[in-house]
Every structure is written in structure tokens, then in C-alpha cells.
Amino acid sequence: DSLGMIFAASSNLSAFANWDFGDGTSGSGLNPTHHFPAPGTYTVCVVLTDTLTGAPQTCTRCYPVVVGANQGI
């Protein structure tokens, strides 16, 4: 059974979010739900692209996410 988590990217800009969940899969949107295949530590990265300024600007942040056997949505 997979382990689910809800992620949230907060932005007051006109932004798109692309996610790399660190398990070989990706997603998009500011609040994606993702199911990890197994417990473990994953490096989750989000790339926010601001399209309001004319020339797109991006910001990338990566965080370790520890998924345990008792976690999930």
C-alpha cells in the first residue's frame, strides 16, 4: 500500500509549481497529493515559476521528507 502526503507551495505571485517527489515521479500544481511507494527519506523539490513579471522567474527549493510506515493521508 502506498503512503500519501499533501504538499503545498505558497505564493502571492501568479505562479506555476512543478514538483519532483524524489521517487522518480513528478507533479504540478500548488497543492498536489502524492503517494510514496515505500517508507524512506525522499528529497522533494518544488520549482515555482512566476509569470506575472513578463520574463519568467523561477525559484527552486528542495527539502528532505521522511515517510514512515505510520504516515499517510
Side-chain angles (χ1 to χ4, degrees):
D1 195 40
S2 63
L3 302 165
M5 297 185 103
I6 298 172
F7 293 90
S10 178
S11 174
N12 61 354
L13 306 171
S14 176
F16 295 105
N18 290 306
W19 298 81
D20 177 344
F21 295 110
D23 61 358
T25 64
S26 60
S28 61
L30 293 177
N31 299 297
T33 299
H34 181 69
H35 295 271
F36 289 96
T41 300
Y42 300 89
T43 300
V44 177
C45 297
V46 60
V47 179
L48 288 174
T49 302
D50 169 21
T51 59
L52 188 63
T53 60
Q57 298 180 19
T58 61
C59 176
T60 302
R61 295 289 184 261
C62 296
Y63 301 96
V65 174
V66 178
V67 179
N70 295 342
Q71 293 176 303
I73 58 172

